[in-house]
Amino acid sequence: MRLSLKLEYACRALAQLGLVYGQGGLVHVEFLADNENIPPNYLVQILNDLRNAGLVISRRGKSGGYALARAPEQISLREIIEVVESELLESRVGGEGVCGESVAKVWRAVANKLTREIDTYTLADMMPSGRVEMYYI
C-alpha cells in the first residue's frame, strides 16, 4: 500500500498535536514543521483542511497556533483519511469482461476488510508510547 505524502504528513502533525492535548497550549506551525520535517507552507494547507473538518482548532497571531479539537482517542484514522485522502477508501473496480465480476468481488472484499481495519485505529495509536518532551508556546 502506498500512502500519499499528504496523508503521512497529516498523521504526523496530528500525532504531534496529540502529545500536548489537554495542556492548554497552542503549537506553532514552525514547531510542527521542524519536528516532523514537513515543509511549513504545505503543512499550513494540510492543517487548514483538518481545521475545516473540525479535527484541529487554530488561532492567529503571535500567540496563535494549532491544537486538537478532540482527544486523540476520539479522532479515528478513518476521519483523517476521509479529510485528507478520501479516494483511498473508494473501490472503483468495474465488472466488465468474462472475469470482471469475479475480480471486482475479490477487490470489494479486500476494500471492506481494509475499511474495517482502519476503523479500529485512532490518532492515539499513532502517538509515541514513551514520554516525549514538547516545547511550545
Side-chain angles (χ1 to χ4, degrees):
M1 174 183 271
R2 186 178 187 145
L3 297 179
S4 71
L5 216 46
K6 185 177 182 181
L7 180 56
E8 180 187 345
Y9 286 171
C11 290
R12 286 172 31 201
L14 287 168
Q16 191 70 226
L17 291 174
L19 295 174
V20 296
Y21 178 78
Q23 295 179 17
L26 296 173
V27 181
H28 290 273
V29 71
E30 294 82 10
F31 178 84
L32 290 171
D34 287 344
N35 262 16
E36 293 301 326
N37 196 25
I38 301 171
N41 290 338
Y42 192 38
L43 182 56
V44 169
Q45 294 172 23
I46 294 168
L47 289 168
N48 281 334
D49 290 343
L50 296 169
R51 181 180 49 79
N52 290 336
L55 297 181
V56 298
I57 56 172
S58 67
R59 187 171 53 212
R60 292 180 182 213
K62 187 175 180 178
S63 63
Y66 294 88
L68 292 180
R70 302 190 311 264
E73 300 81 19
Q74 296 174 344
I75 298 174
S76 71
L77 177 55
R78 184 180 190 145
E79 284 180 280
I80 299 167
I81 292 170
E82 286 174 347
V83 169
V84 178
E85 186 107 16
S86 60
E87 59 276 358
L88 183 67
L89 300 177
E90 292 176 9
S91 180
R92 290 188 229 148
V93 181
E96 295 85 23
V98 174
C99 298
E101 187 50 42
S102 0
V103 169
K105 180 180 175 184
V106 169
W107 281 110
R108 280 193 298 269
V110 169
N112 288 337
K113 286 181 181 184
L114 176 62
T115 301
R116 280 195 304 275
E117 187 67 20
I118 286 170
D119 285 339
T120 67
Y121 292 97
T122 68
L123 177 58
D125 295 312
M126 290 186 266
M127 295 167 48
S129 57
R131 178 151 166 73
V132 176
E133 291 294 321
M134 290 285 293
Y135 300 95
Y136 63 96
I137 297 176

